[in-house]
Amino acid sequence: MSVETLPPLISAQLNYLITHSPLSIKVDQIWSGCKNSSYSDRFCLLIPFCLDYIKWDIIYNAQYPLAAPDIIFAPEDDSFHPLPMSGEGEGGIQTIKSSLCDWNNKDPTRLLSLIHELRDLYMAYQRKRVVELDDERLKFEISTILSREGIELSMVSGSEKLEEVRFAVPLLDMDLNKLVHGCPWRHQQKIYLQVVFPVIRKYSSAPCAPRIKLVSSSELKMLFSVDDIKLPPWCMAEYLPTFEENLRVQVLEAVESVGDRRCFIEALAVFFGRPVEADPVFCRRATVLAASGTFTFLVHFSLPTRFPKQQPVLTLQSSQHFNSQGIPVMSPPLTDYPWSPRWEASQMAERISEFISEECLNFKKYCNDTLLQQH
C-alpha cells in the first residue's frame, strides 16, 4: 500500500518524516489494523543504525487519528523500554515522554521528533549493553574510541548464535556533499569504519581478530569507491589518525579527478563534436556520435573514479543494427587502445579518435556477423 491510503493527518506525519529526516529512513510496508477500514493506519519503518537498519512498527488508529501512535520494537530488543526510564535521566529521555503526553497530530513534525528521540535512546541502550559486557579487550577498545563524536555501538547475535559487538566509526571531519559543485545528494554522505568484535567470555579461548571494512553510501561511489582502499592490520588507538589522514588525501584526489574527467570530456568535442550526453556533475560517463562513411554509431565512455590512472572503458553501439529483440548491437567493453595517464587530455582524445577510426571497421563486421547469426 502507498502513503495515500493513510488518513491525511497520519500521511502528513509520515511524509514529513521521510522528506525532512537527515537519516535515510525507509517505509517497509503499510497496512490497516481493521479489515473493513478504508484507510491504513500502521506502517513499518526501517531506521538506519550502526550501518544496518532497525525495524519499528508505528501503530496509529484510523478511527482516532489525533491519538499518539504506539511503537513496537523488534523482538530481539525486548529489554528496550525507553519510557519507564524517563525518571533516570534528563534531556532526550524527558523529551520522549513529553512528545507522547503532549501529542499534537496536526503538527507534521511530531513523528520525526519522536523517531529521532527514540533512536537516540536506543543508541544509549545499545551502548550501555556493550559497556557492561565482561570482555577485557572490548573494554580497552571502547576506552580508546568512545570519546569520538558520532560513534555507534550495537550488540548482535552473529553466526551460530555467537554474540558480536559492532562499531560504526564515522571518518573524515569534512562535508563530503560540498566537495563537488552541483552535487545532487539529499542525505549527508559519510564514510564509516565498521569493526566487528566477537564477544569473548572469561572461560573462552584466545580472542579472535576483529573484522574490519570501510562502508559508504552507494551514492558516494560516483565520486569515491571505498572498495579500492587497503585496510592495514587493526589497532584502534594507533590505527585511526594515520589511516584517516591517508583516506582524506585519497578523497581529495578523487575530487581532483572530477576536474580531469571534465577536461577529457571537453577534449572529446574537438574530435567527435559535442557529446550526445554526459554526466555534468561527476563526469563519469559521456557518449559521442561517430561515423565511417554511411555507418554511424555511438561511442560510450565510462570513466573510473581513479581517472586518469585508470583508463576509460569504451563501448560502441550501432545506430543501424538491431538484434531480434530490437536492441541495438553493442561491442564488448574496449580497453586495449593507446593510453597514458601522463598525456594531456587533448592527446588522450586524439589517440582514442584514431583508435575508433580503425576499430569501427571491426565493429561493423561484428554487427553484420551478429545479424547473420540470427537467421
Side-chain angles (χ1 to χ4, degrees):
M1 293 185 180
S2 66
V3 175
E4 286 72 21
T5 63
L6 296 168
L9 291 177
I10 301 176
S11 176
Q13 296 264 339
L14 180 57
N15 277 322
Y16 190 91
L17 170 69
I18 299 302
T19 57
H20 288 81
S21 174
L23 303 171
S24 182
I25 297 176
K26 301 177 182 180
V27 181
D28 186 42
Q29 63 181 119
I30 299 175
W31 72 99
S32 173
C34 180
K35 292 183 179 180
N36 300 322
S37 175
S38 58
Y39 283 115
S40 302
D41 57 3
R42 48 203 65 191
F43 45 87
C44 177
L45 294 179
L46 299 179
I47 303 165
F49 178 73
C50 205
L51 301 179
D52 203 346
Y53 286 91
I54 49 178
K55 182 182 290 189
W56 292 349
D57 290 339
I58 314 301
I59 310 298
Y60 284 89
N61 189 329
Q63 296 181 357
Y64 303 97
L66 297 181
D70 291 326
I71 299 181
I72 301 177
F73 306 112
E76 58 268 25
D77 294 320
D78 56 355
S79 59
F80 176 49
H81 305 293
L83 296 185
M85 296 166 57
S86 60
E88 299 178 6
E90 54 187 78
I93 291 177
Q94 296 290 351
T95 304
I96 287 292
K97 184 176 181 180
S98 172
S99 294
L100 291 176
C101 291
D102 303 325
W103 186 260
N104 179 7
N105 214 25
K106 294 182 180 180
D107 178 359
T109 70
R110 297 304 293 272
L111 180 61
L112 181 145
S113 298
L114 176 62
I115 294 300
H116 278 228
E117 290 165 357
L118 279 173
R119 185 183 180 278
D120 288 343
L121 279 177
Y122 184 78
M123 184 163 55
Y125 157 77
Q126 284 287 357
R127 180 171 297 196
K128 184 172 182 290
R129 293 180 70 201
V130 172
V131 169
E132 291 176 349
L133 286 172
D134 188 16
D135 186 317
E136 294 302 323
R137 184 183 186 187
L138 265 177
K139 290 180 179 179
F140 168 74
E141 298 288 4
I142 291 172
S143 68
T144 64
I145 199 172
L146 204 55
S147 60
R148 285 182 67 102
E149 184 177 352
I151 186 172
E152 295 182 354
L153 307 177
S154 178
M155 191 168 73
V156 296
S157 294
S159 59
E160 300 179 355
K161 303 298 182 181
L162 296 177
E163 290 181 332
E164 297 178 333
V165 170
R166 294 178 182 173
F167 290 70
V169 185
L171 302 175
L172 301 181
D173 185 18
M174 59 196 302
D175 190 343
L176 299 177
N177 290 44
K178 294 182 178 179
L179 292 179
V180 180
H181 179 71
C183 180
W185 298 326
R186 186 172 74 86
H187 293 104
Q188 186 65 43
Q189 301 300 302
K190 280 285 188 180
I191 299 175
Y192 291 89
L193 183 69
Q194 183 186 69
V195 189
V196 181
F197 284 96
V199 175
I200 304 299
R201 307 296 183 181
K202 285 186 176 180
Y203 53 81
S204 301
S205 58
C208 302
R211 305 192 305 273
I212 60 174
K213 69 175 182 177
L214 281 181
V215 179
S216 73
S217 67
S218 58
E219 294 174 313
L220 189 61
K221 292 180 180 179
M222 289 299 294
L223 171 66
F224 178 77
S225 175
V226 298
D227 298 335
D228 299 330
I229 306 301
K230 184 178 180 180
L231 298 175
W234 174 254
C235 177
M236 183 78 85
E238 301 175 0
Y239 176 96
L240 284 179
T242 301
F243 174 75
E244 199 167 16
E245 183 56 34
N246 291 336
L247 181 62
R248 183 189 305 274
V249 170
Q250 294 185 62
V251 169
L252 294 178
E253 287 179 352
V255 174
E256 184 179 340
S257 179
V258 175
D260 294 337
R261 294 194 294 269
R262 180 172 285 108
C263 290
F264 172 75
I265 292 174
E266 291 172 350
L268 292 175
V270 176
F271 302 95
F272 295 97
R274 186 182 181 90
V276 177
E277 62 177 3
D279 171 11
V281 179
F282 302 105
C283 303
R284 292 291 308 279
R285 64 184 186 280
T287 299
V288 298
L289 183 64
S292 175
T294 59
F295 178 48
T296 59
F297 56 97
L298 297 173
V299 184
H300 301 289
F301 292 81
S302 176
L303 284 72
T305 57
R306 299 184 65 191
F307 178 95
K309 294 179 180 178
Q310 293 180 344
Q311 67 191 95
V313 176
L314 313 182
T315 307
L316 310 185
Q317 174 183 324
S318 175
S319 59
Q320 299 166 303
H321 301 79
F322 303 86
N323 63 21
S324 57
Q325 287 78 40
I327 300 174
V329 176
M330 302 184 70
S331 73
L334 302 174
T335 56
D336 188 17
Y337 59 84
W339 181 264
S340 171
R342 294 181 294 275
W343 291 342
E344 295 292 331
S346 58
Q347 187 176 3
M348 295 175 180
E350 181 180 10
R351 298 298 293 272
I352 287 178
S353 175
E354 294 171 353
F355 169 77
I356 294 298
S357 297
E358 299 176 2
E359 182 63 25
C360 68
L361 299 177
N362 296 328
F363 179 53
K364 184 177 181 180
K365 182 179 184 300
Y366 174 81
C367 292
N368 290 330
D369 291 345
T370 300
L371 295 185
L372 288 174
Q373 292 174 7
Q374 297 179 22
H375 300 290

